[in-house]
Amino acid sequence: MIRLLADPLRAQIVALLAEGPACTCHLVEDTGAKQPNISNHLRLLREAGVVVTEPHGRFTYYRLVPEALEAAAGHLADMASQARARSDARRECP
């Protein structure tokens, strides 16, 4: 998830989809990126389970899967908690 969102355009797409479902044409307009580039990023996000598609007439809308973002946020929060709790547990060098 971190690698997916490390790409600025993918992060922007996710932020836009957080505002509600959108089709590729909306994302092209909102980001200024080329359609093939947007489609490639959406494919990666879909394969990772971050977005799902919803057909609507002749258009395909993309919608965020909030649970995917919540799971990633929970994992990061757990690591932060562990790091906070073990901040003084320095390993000795051999």
Side-chain angles (χ1 to χ4, degrees):
M1 180 66 73
I2 293 172
R3 188 179 304 151
L4 276 174
L5 297 179
D7 182 278
L9 182 54
R10 273 196 296 272
Q12 184 181 9
I13 290 169
V14 168
L16 289 167
L17 291 177
E19 297 174 9
C23 70
T24 305
C25 62
H26 297 126
L27 297 170
V28 166
E29 182 179 320
D30 293 345
T31 63
K34 303 280 187 204
Q35 184 273 328
N37 196 8
I38 294 290
S39 293
N40 184 49
H41 287 298
L42 287 168
R43 178 183 53 80
L44 293 172
L45 291 168
R46 190 179 67 248
E47 289 172 354
V50 178
V51 301
V52 293
T53 59
E54 298 176 341
H56 185 74
R58 61 184 197 132
F59 298 101
T60 299
Y61 278 74
Y62 292 85
R63 179 179 55 81
L64 276 181
V65 177
E67 296 80 8
L69 296 175
E70 289 167 346
H75 184 67
L76 290 172
D78 290 345
M79 284 193 300
S81 251
Q82 182 179 2
R84 188 173 290 111
R86 308 232 347 119
S87 65
D88 293 329
R90 183 180 307 117
R91 291 171 45 178
E92 296 299 321
C93 295

